[in-house]
Amino acid sequence: MKDKTDILIIGGGVTGCFAARELSRYDLDITLVEKEPSLCTGTTKANTALIHAGFNADPDKLKGRLNMRGNQLYHERIQHELDVPIEWLGALVVAKEEEKLPKLEELLEKGQENGVPDLEIVKGDDIYDLEPHLADDAIAALHAPTAGIVNPFELTVALANNAAMNGADVYLEAGVEDIEDKGETKLVKTAKGDIEANIVINAAGLYADKIANMVGIDKFEITPRRGEYYLYDKQADIDVQTTVFPVPTKVSKGIVVTPTDEGNVLIGPNAEVIESVENKSTTREGLDEVLNGAQKTIPELSKRNVIKEFAGLRPAITETGDFLIEASDEVPGFINVAGIQSPGLASAPAIAEKVVGIVKEEIGGLREDPDFDPNYEGPPKFRHMSHEEQAKLVEEDKNYGQIICRCESVTKGEILEAIREPVGARTVNDIKRRVRPGSGRCQGGFCEPKVVNILSEELGIPEDEVVLESKESKLLRERTKEPLLNEEEVSDNE
């Protein structure tokens, strides 16, 4: 690890990576540190993957304003610059009772005041033209065509790689252990060594309060909120066309039913305040709540064809219910980007834009890098190519002719590219998130050993050193017959 940098960003989720990418536009030395072996292992890993339109955004709150600006930036810039799946499928807020209609009108009015384009309330057959699988007692729905879905894993990786291509340094397994405030600079002590930074940006998600505490800031506390999900096999009978919400209450948006960018159906989340930032377990009660809530709008859903259940944690600041994005008055050169819960993914480009503005104020202006390249192209997706395109790719690189994951038609070539990128994959789950082996019906039953073998060969490490997610999650302990061979060797020596 280098020993000095202009700007150090703590946290490798979508917020930190967006900040790194946007700041790499300027003549600055940018460094990002992440405590895990992979990017995107916290809140960004487990969410609903929505780009909210902004009709329910509160303009009096920072997160409401950034939601609307973030949606705009995804439309205007991000989808054109980064090779990331973004689909503008729209969203429906569905009312099934007459008494819910005033709430739809309220959302319509708020959305129009917020500047959300093309909002309308649809009724009758028009509802089912937009979503044929809706419950047959739906009487009206707010339609927001500017809502979208995005692949949060590919987005985060694209941002980090684009930042690295533009000169930023990204260090994994570099958890922050302490920060020494030296006045004009901060000495950040990480698991990979010490680095002195002129400005520190705290984008540590669930751990943002702990990082802030290291420099004596105790003005906020992160409360983890757990949300549980069901993910359906893409071969399931139901094919949801758009993102579906129930009419929201004062405390919740309700259980969402949405397609994913790869054609699965995802339902969730519920919301439960918990104590531990490490508790990502699912519960029977929580998952029942998710399914029961989803069936109110899409009654065909059941537990059949569910291929994965999981939970994610959202970092809430309950005192304000809002984002906290500001330069510290107490500690010059320290910027908090905390409490980034929903709509954090939708707001992420606008959050980065705001962070850049704060950095400009702290430094006194920034000079753009004339060589900055905003474009990024990820590994080719063999499964989405025509037969002619596939044949041409295999002719150019035989690794694309070897299918590693049958469920998702992922090739060895795609996996190798993911490992060889500027910020390359280093774990089995990182490979899964980036290029999808293990994401299908068998959840890695066929392909996981092959992925382990590829990682071992490419990284130059023994197979028993390859991990699923973190250092504590090794997949292999020893060769099956090794203990027996050792016993025989001891016996022979005796």
Side-chain angles (χ1 to χ4, degrees):
M1 174 181 276
K2 61 189 180 186
D3 58 6
K4 289 185 179 180
T5 188
D6 293 326
I7 298 181
L8 179 72
I9 300 164
I10 302 171
V14 70
T15 301
C17 290
F18 240 124
R21 189 257 188 170
E22 292 305 312
L23 285 165
S24 70
R25 294 175 179 273
Y26 301 94
D27 186 17
L28 292 166
D29 188 276
I30 307 296
T31 304
L32 183 146
V33 293
E34 163 58 42
K35 69 182 182 67
E36 299 296 340
S38 310
L39 301 167
C40 194
T41 60
T43 299
T44 307
K45 180 181 74 172
N47 61 73
T48 323
L50 301 180
I51 303 175
H52 293 281
F55 55 79
N56 199 29
D58 184 350
D60 293 330
K61 288 191 173 183
L62 180 60
K63 68 179 184 180
R65 299 190 296 274
L66 294 182
N67 178 176
M68 293 177 284
R69 176 60 177 157
N71 183 287
Q72 182 184 17
L73 287 170
Y74 276 113
H75 274 90
E76 292 179 354
R77 278 207 295 113
I78 305 306
Q79 67 174 342
H80 305 297
E81 294 174 348
L82 301 179
D83 180 24
V84 171
I86 297 177
E87 298 179 42
W88 303 109
L89 303 180
L92 289 173
V93 182
V94 179
K96 298 167 64 178
E97 299 90 14
E98 292 286 341
E99 57 266 28
K100 298 291 180 66
L101 294 181
K103 183 62 178 179
L104 283 191
E105 294 287 351
E106 179 187 321
L107 291 173
L108 174 64
E109 184 176 337
K110 180 188 282 188
Q112 290 171 337
E113 290 175 356
N114 289 343
V116 180
D118 303 323
L119 282 176
E120 62 174 342
I121 291 179
V122 293
K123 298 182 178 181
D125 291 342
D126 290 343
I127 307 174
Y128 297 96
D129 290 341
L130 293 167
E131 183 47 70
H133 294 282
L134 278 177
D136 58 14
D137 55 350
I139 59 174
L142 177 68
H143 180 221
T146 56
I149 59 173
V150 62
N151 186 310
F153 320 130
E154 291 187 39
L155 174 63
T156 304
V157 168
L159 292 164
N161 279 315
N162 188 232
M165 289 161 50
N166 285 291
D169 291 302
V170 178
Y171 295 100
L172 304 175
E173 297 184 89
V176 174
E177 297 168 348
D178 198 8
I179 303 175
E180 181 183 341
D181 184 5
K182 301 179 70 175
E184 292 187 0
T185 64
K186 309 289 175 283
L187 183 64
V188 181
K189 302 176 181 181
T190 81
K192 280 201 167 175
D194 298 351
I195 181 167
E196 194 167 2
N198 297 329
I199 290 179
V200 172
I201 297 173
N202 174 18
L206 292 158
Y207 302 90
D209 53 350
K210 306 297 186 296
I211 296 296
N213 291 165
M214 292 179 183
V215 292
I217 298 172
D218 59 1
K219 67 178 291 184
F220 68 94
E221 181 179 356
I222 295 297
T223 299
R225 284 183 177 160
R226 179 170 59 191
E228 297 168 76
Y229 294 88
Y230 274 133
L231 180 69
Y232 288 83
D233 185 6
K234 62 175 66 175
Q235 304 301 322
D237 295 335
I238 190 163
D239 181 23
V240 178
Q241 305 295 312
T242 189
T243 299
V244 179
F245 295 88
V247 176
T249 66
K250 290 182 179 181
V251 296
S252 172
K253 293 187 183 78
I255 303 300
V256 182
V257 180
T258 186
T260 71
D261 66 289
E262 285 288 342
N264 305 85
V265 171
L266 178 68
I267 66 173
N270 58 344
E272 179 187 4
V273 173
I274 60 173
E275 293 184 4
S276 171
V277 295
E278 303 290 342
N279 185 359
K280 299 174 185 175
S281 59
T282 57
T283 65
R284 176 51 49 213
E285 296 78 13
L287 291 170
D288 286 345
E289 179 186 352
V290 166
L291 181 58
N292 292 336
Q295 287 174 329
K296 292 177 181 177
T297 53
I298 308 290
E300 296 173 52
L301 291 166
S302 68
K303 293 180 183 177
R304 184 183 178 193
N305 291 315
V306 169
I307 58 173
K308 190 171 183 61
E309 56 189 50
F310 63 94
L313 301 181
R314 289 156 277 180
I317 300 176
T318 56
E319 293 83 359
T320 63
D322 203 356
F323 298 165
L324 175 68
I325 305 172
E326 63 181 21
S328 171
D329 293 331
E330 308 163 54
V331 185
F334 193 90
I335 300 170
N336 283 307
V337 186
I340 311 300
Q341 56 175 325
S342 181
L345 183 60
S347 305
I351 293 172
E353 187 177 65
K354 183 172 178 63
V355 168
V356 169
I358 295 172
V359 171
K360 284 181 180 179
E361 292 179 4
E362 291 286 294
I363 291 179
L366 295 175
R367 185 172 66 251
E368 291 192 10
D369 181 352
D371 297 324
F372 175 77
D373 183 358
N375 300 302
Y376 163 82
E377 185 174 351
K381 294 180 178 177
F382 194 79
R383 61 194 174 279
H384 295 324
M385 293 179 168
S386 67
H387 291 310
E388 293 76 15
E389 290 170 330
Q390 289 175 342
K392 182 181 178 182
L393 187 59
V394 172
E395 187 176 343
E396 294 171 354
D397 186 343
K398 299 301 182 186
N399 287 312
Y400 285 94
Q402 184 176 348
I403 297 292
I404 300 299
C405 174
R406 295 175 180 176
C407 298
E408 297 291 314
S409 298
V410 179
T411 65
K412 183 177 181 179
E414 292 163 85
I415 295 171
L416 289 174
E417 287 225 22
I419 297 171
R420 294 169 180 172
E421 286 192 296
V423 186
R426 294 294 180 267
T427 72
V428 171
N429 277 353
D430 199 2
I431 294 287
K432 177 180 179 178
R433 288 189 288 269
R434 293 179 188 226
V435 290
R436 290 187 67 80
S439 298
R441 180 176 294 181
C442 82
Q443 288 290 292
F446 172 78
C447 63
E448 191 169 278
K450 295 177 180 289
V451 173
V452 169
N453 179 257
I454 294 170
L455 278 165
S456 170
E457 291 182 352
E458 192 68 13
L459 300 179
I461 59 175
E463 289 188 348
D464 60 7
E465 292 295 320
V466 175
V467 299
L468 183 69
E469 188 76 276
S470 65
K471 288 181 178 179
E472 292 73 36
S473 58
K474 289 184 179 180
L475 293 159
L476 304 173
R477 190 177 71 180
E478 58 190 357
R479 295 188 177 277
T480 309
K481 295 184 179 180
E482 197 168 276
L484 296 176
L485 293 172
N486 290 339
E487 286 181 13
E488 288 181 9
E489 186 176 330
V490 170
S491 177
D492 290 342
N493 289 338
E494 290 176 350

